[in-house]
Amino acid sequence: MKPDLYQVGFVIVILIAMFMFLKYTFFKPVSKVMDDREAEIATGSATKHQAAAEIEQRQADYAARLRELRGQAFERRKELATEATHQKDVLLDEARRKALHQRSVAREALEAQQEQAKVQLTAEVDALSESMVLHLLKQA
């Protein structure tokens, strides 16, 4: 069997017609769907990169704000510590002044009591010495 040129040509024409039919009815819509899907994936990837960049930016802003707030907190603690030290010094000075005043008042009271005791003891010694003298004179 020898192939007939008419039959070969007919098969070739039918193959070309089938190819064109399939190309426009099957392959073109499938290619379009694949291209659309690829475009959506690319858009999603771009959106993902944009969201990642925005998240990075927000994290950087958060870190900067956190550093700033920590610095402010440190400064505030430093101010409070300075103020507390100042108040402590003021209270200590006032307590020292009160203690010195009480000490001087107590010293004055003790000196007054000492003088009074001296006067009283001197009076008692004088009374005892007079009584001893009188007693000795009576015996003699």
Side-chain angles (χ1 to χ4, degrees), residues 23-134:
K23 181 180 177 184
Y24 289 108
T25 58
F26 181 71
F27 293 127
K28 198 168 192 175
V30 169
S31 295
K32 184 177 185 274
V33 167
M34 294 297 281
D35 290 341
D36 289 346
R37 183 172 179 239
E38 201 172 301
E40 286 179 17
I41 289 172
T43 303
S45 178
T47 303
K48 182 178 86 174
H49 289 299
Q50 182 181 7
E54 185 176 335
I55 287 172
E56 272 186 40
Q57 179 61 36
R58 285 186 180 181
Q59 285 178 339
D61 291 344
Y62 174 77
R65 180 72 177 143
L66 188 60
R67 278 191 304 274
E68 178 183 338
L69 289 175
R70 283 183 179 160
Q72 289 175 358
F74 177 75
E75 290 299 321
R76 180 67 178 143
R77 278 185 295 219
K78 191 176 172 183
E79 288 173 9
L80 288 174
T82 304
E83 184 178 328
T85 303
H86 176 69
Q87 287 179 357
K88 181 181 92 173
D89 291 342
V90 167
L91 289 174
L92 282 174
D93 287 343
E94 184 178 330
R96 283 184 187 126
R97 272 187 263 116
K98 283 182 181 179
L100 285 174
H101 177 69
Q102 288 176 351
R103 183 177 170 195
S104 66
V105 167
R107 177 174 268 156
E108 288 173 3
L110 281 174
E111 287 175 357
Q113 285 176 356
Q114 182 182 9
E115 286 299 318
Q116 186 180 12
K118 279 182 183 179
V119 168
Q120 186 179 5
L121 283 175
T122 306
E124 286 180 13
V125 167
D126 286 342
L128 278 175
S129 63
E130 278 185 37
S131 109
M132 284 176 65
V133 167
L134 287 177

